[in-house]
Amino acid sequence: MMDIRVEQLDKSFGDTNILQHISLSVANGQFVGIIGPNGSGKSTLLKCIYRVLKFEKGAIFIGKDNLRDLSIKETAFRQAVLAQHNTVSFNLSVLDIVLMGRSPYKHFLEQNNETDYEIARKCLQFVGMLRFARQAYNSLSGGEQQRVMLARALTQQTPCLILDEPTNHLDIKYQLQILDRVKKTSLTVIAALHDLNIAAAYCDRLIAMKNGKIIREGTPCEVLTNDFIYELYEVHSQVIHLSNEGLVIAYHSEKGVNI
């Protein structure tokens, strides 16, 4: 288990400030969702955490260690990533794709061993894709491919998992399949999510971003109110609280608006 901490993070592209003084923490074993409209900085923040983007100011800690002090390989032992799009140019099998998650544990040109295969098969079984192990990855549907990529991330055997808008292009069946399986792990999870009903159902805490800043955080019930959803997205909604302490959100358009 491991926590993630971000302190006063700034990121710019040219003269445009994308992230402004971002500070947050994700505790051990917690599932934290990052929500906000397009362009709010959600994905940029996660890309800084998993080292695709460099940031100008601030610090990121994975456990007790500053991310800047860790090698790429050391970072790969601590966090795995499931992103929105995963393009594979070569016609590899599902099992070969999943075994890529073992690469941080390998020396140059070292072959996979039986332990690697056992871990890969176990993770494929966990996501319900073991029967496709020998099938070509590119022959699968989008939802099936994303479950394979989740298996690859889990095969990396890290204490932290980052979900960078992993379900945006999937239908509701596959969204639920992916997040059900993530929720069943004991990993520390930080996820950028668009669907507020999905975020409310799976996240322990939500962090709301707008214009590169964090403007609210708390439990789904604390964050997702009618007034705040309008403040964040400029959309009218009705938050319905359920008997099991969960909630669902219904959206409605403004009436009487002429176009």
Side-chain angles (χ1 to χ4, degrees):
M1 304 290 283
M2 192 170 291
D3 62 351
I4 299 172
R5 193 169 79 256
V6 178
E7 296 183 352
Q8 294 296 305
L9 197 72
D10 286 354
K11 171 63 184 174
S12 300
F13 291 112
D15 296 329
T16 304
N17 295 325
I18 305 299
L19 301 176
Q20 303 177 56
H21 314 308
I22 297 294
S23 294
L24 61 88
S25 62
V26 183
N28 289 337
Q30 201 171 46
F31 193 134
V32 172
I34 311 295
I35 62 172
N38 291 334
S40 60
K42 303 186 300 298
S43 191
T44 299
L45 170 60
L46 293 192
K47 284 181 171 64
C48 289
I49 295 174
Y50 64 83
R51 303 189 77 160
V52 168
L53 294 176
K54 293 184 178 180
F55 50 93
E56 289 81 32
K57 295 180 181 179
I60 298 172
F61 293 88
I62 308 296
K64 296 181 180 179
D65 296 308
N66 193 316
L67 193 63
R68 294 186 189 275
D69 297 331
L70 298 174
S71 68
I72 297 298
K73 188 169 186 176
E74 288 171 330
T75 304
F77 288 137
R78 303 189 185 203
Q79 58 182 17
V81 179
L82 179 62
Q84 180 177 359
H85 298 292
N86 297 281
T87 302
V88 176
S89 300
F90 301 101
N91 196 27
L92 298 175
S93 72
V94 165
L95 184 59
D96 287 336
I97 293 291
V98 175
L99 283 166
M100 290 178 180
R102 301 301 297 162
S103 59
Y105 299 88
K106 300 298 174 184
H107 300 297
F108 183 62
L109 295 180
E110 183 180 354
Q111 298 296 309
N112 292 311
N113 56 39
E114 188 52 42
T115 298
D116 300 319
Y117 280 97
E118 182 181 350
I119 292 169
R121 292 190 187 100
K122 182 179 179 181
C123 292
L124 277 171
Q125 179 69 46
F126 179 72
V127 302
M129 292 296 291
L130 182 58
R131 64 190 177 95
F132 296 94
R134 295 298 177 185
Q135 190 164 323
Y137 172 82
N138 287 332
S139 71
L140 302 178
S141 70
E144 290 168 340
Q145 288 183 349
Q146 200 67 329
R147 280 193 286 164
V148 171
M149 288 302 179
L150 174 58
R152 185 178 73 172
L154 296 176
T155 298
Q156 202 170 319
Q157 291 195 312
T158 61
C160 299
L161 178 62
I162 298 174
L163 308 179
D164 192 355
E165 301 184 358
T167 62
N168 287 358
H169 63 295
L170 303 181
D171 64 39
I172 187 64
K173 171 186 173 182
Y174 287 119
Q175 290 184 47
L176 297 177
Q177 285 180 344
I178 293 291
L179 293 175
D180 277 343
R181 283 158 177 79
V182 171
K183 190 69 172 179
K184 288 176 181 176
T185 72
S186 57
L187 302 177
T188 303
V189 179
I190 180 169
L193 298 169
H194 273 294
D195 189 314
L196 296 185
N197 283 302
I198 291 286
Y202 290 97
C203 296
D204 302 311
R205 287 177 51 241
L206 297 178
I207 296 172
M209 295 184 64
K210 190 171 187 178
N211 298 325
K213 298 179 180 179
I214 292 175
I215 60 173
R216 183 173 293 188
E217 57 183 296
T219 67
C221 285
E222 290 169 341
V223 172
L224 298 176
T225 65
N226 297 335
D227 289 342
F228 185 69
I229 291 171
Y230 187 82
E231 178 184 344
L232 190 61
Y233 294 100
E234 299 181 4
V235 171
H236 294 284
S237 63
Q238 181 181 0
V239 177
I240 303 166
H241 292 269
L242 306 175
S243 58
N244 63 357
E245 297 185 356
L247 59 85
V248 294
I249 302 163
Y251 302 100
H252 55 87
S253 60
E254 293 183 77
K255 296 180 179 180
V257 177
N258 296 318
I259 298 177

